[in-house]
Amino acid sequence: MSTTTEHANALGLETGLSPSSTIGEPRTYQVRTYGCQMNVHDSERLSGLLEDAGYVAFDKAGAGADAQADVVVFNTCAVRENADNKLYGNLSHLAPVKAANPDLQIAVGGCMAQKDRDTILERAPYVDVVFGTHNIGSLPALLDRARSQAEAQVEILESLSVFPSTLPTKRESAYAAWVSISVGCNNTCTFCIVPALRGKEKDRRPGEILAEIEALVADGVTEITLLGQNVNAYGVEFGDRQAFSRLLRACGSIEGLERVRFTSPHPAEFTDDVIEAMAETPNVMPSLHMPLQSGSDRILREMRRSYRQSKYLGIIERVRAAIPDAAITTDIIVGFPGETEEDFRATLDVVRAARFSAAFTFQYSKRPGTPAAVLDDQVPPDVVKDRYQRLVALVDEVAWEENKALVGRTLELMVAEGEGRKDAATRRLSGRAPDNRLVHFSVEGLAEADLPRPGDMVSVQVTYAAPHHLVADKRVLGVRRTRAGDAWERRTTTPVATGVGLGMPSVGVPAPLSPAPACG
């Protein structure tokens, strides 16, 4: 006697039943994320979608050494060559697991899936689902279809049909959240494949963004990061060139929202109204990620970066004049085709002049499908490596000098979760200063009941500086318990609900900026 499910499966239909490994046991999932902040946020949505569909997160810590999630999702990056190598290497590790357990499902999404499409199945024929950047909401249905039809499903759309922020989202912490304001990019940088994979810029309406932020704040979030491939182009789709600065100011009027950040802008479109909004809106933090890519005017022209060194340094000068304590970070590419020693020295000159507090530095990686991939005069790898090492040394030297200037200063930190790898051994906690610098601080002298929670605020005095962090080893000057800390405590003592629709979840966090180039 056949069941209703068997009839449906025979017809290739989706039953809508909750997925399960065995009767009464929901299937588990794991999302593995590569690349930029946009991918991190997309992975939050993928988790929310799967939990809405009845899957449960795989508890790696509580599972056996050889245990594996029932569904493994790779959310991929296509910006650099090692991202390809990492994906296919990790897929190959799952091949014998899949052979031993055919019920395991493997899905590949994100930018590489959008780019490679059928190539993924040629190189890894055991993959069950391939989906692109424009249809992440299809993942649960594609998994169901792959199981019912017992064949791989490939679905790639060429344009966005539903703005991702309308999808269920499972955020990773209770005190801070990403909020997408746009997706896609209208720039044509010759080294970047992202616009071809993410599409033209699509903007959310300001009211939708502010409604999402207000819902997050109502749930205890006190820090948000506005996210887009090119945030200061926000408004181009509805014809308001000052929409981004207006949005920053509107965030300033949301009661309970203590910190506002954004990433990433583009120097060509970074205007003075944004600088003024940053300076005049108290909860907009004094931190700015401003991608440089190169300090050479000739290389910037070859990259199709529509600004030059003088314009870039002019922006930095105006930001520092309006916001003296601003910490400025950047992205830099070394070894772009045709880069000479003179070009490279121009980049070093900008690093010295701009006084970056940190820089994400990259050796140029040829990406098929980009104009730069076919340029003549590719720089020899040994030359690229030498320049890269010299650049990193200078960046660290400058960052260390900037950090040393903060020794003795009192800073207010938002306590962070999981950012200090040695915190347990050193009896320290970690937090982020207003300018986003990482500070490890001592909690000696505080009773257990008085320890600050993630999301709480502490005042500390900086006692030591390293190139990539600060230390405050004197007694904590003050602890301010917050709604965000309360939300974190609730989350750790009560079960978390599954994904919540409309992009208005109960908890959220942006992880620390990953060392991946933004599309700015």
Side-chain angles (χ1 to χ4, degrees), residues 37 70 116 123 134 162 168 178 221 238 241-242 294 352 355 358 360 365 445 454 464 478 490 508:
Q37 302 94 322
D70 298 311
D116 284 359
R123 295 184 62 175
H134 301 308
V162 177
W178 302 112
V221 169
F238 49 86
R241 293 189 176 275
Q242 294 193 347
S294 175
R352 293 187 186 96
R355 311 297 298 173
F360 297 120
S365 177
Y464 171 79
R490 286 195 303 272

Side-chain angles (χ1 to χ4, degrees), residues 32 68 72 74 89-99 104-106 126:
R32 303 182 187 180
Q68 178 65 60
V72 179
F74 293 89
N90 285 327
L91 284 175
S92 69
H93 293 155
L94 284 180
V97 182
K98 174 80 169 180
L104 167 66
Q105 286 189 289
I106 303 170
Y126 42 85

Side-chain angles (χ1 to χ4, degrees), residues 181 230-234 241 244 264-271 274:
I181 67 171
N230 179 8
V231 291
N232 54 294
Y234 173 71
R241 293 189 176 275
F244 185 60
S264 288
H266 191 292
E269 295 165 300
F270 197 79
T271 49
V274 174

Side-chain angles (χ1 to χ4, degrees), residues 190-192 302 336-337 364 366-367 369-376 378:
T190 58
F191 58 83
C192 186
E302 290 294 313
F336 186 82
Y364 171 73
K366 185 190 295 188
R367 305 309 291 135
T370 62
V374 296
L375 290 177
D376 295 330
Q378 299 283 327

Side-chain angles (χ1 to χ4, degrees), residues 264-286:
S264 288
H266 191 292
E269 295 165 300
F270 197 79
T271 49
D272 287 349
D273 61 295
V274 174
I275 298 174
E276 292 165 5
M278 291 177 66
E280 296 169 6
T281 309
N283 65 354
V284 175
M285 294 294 96

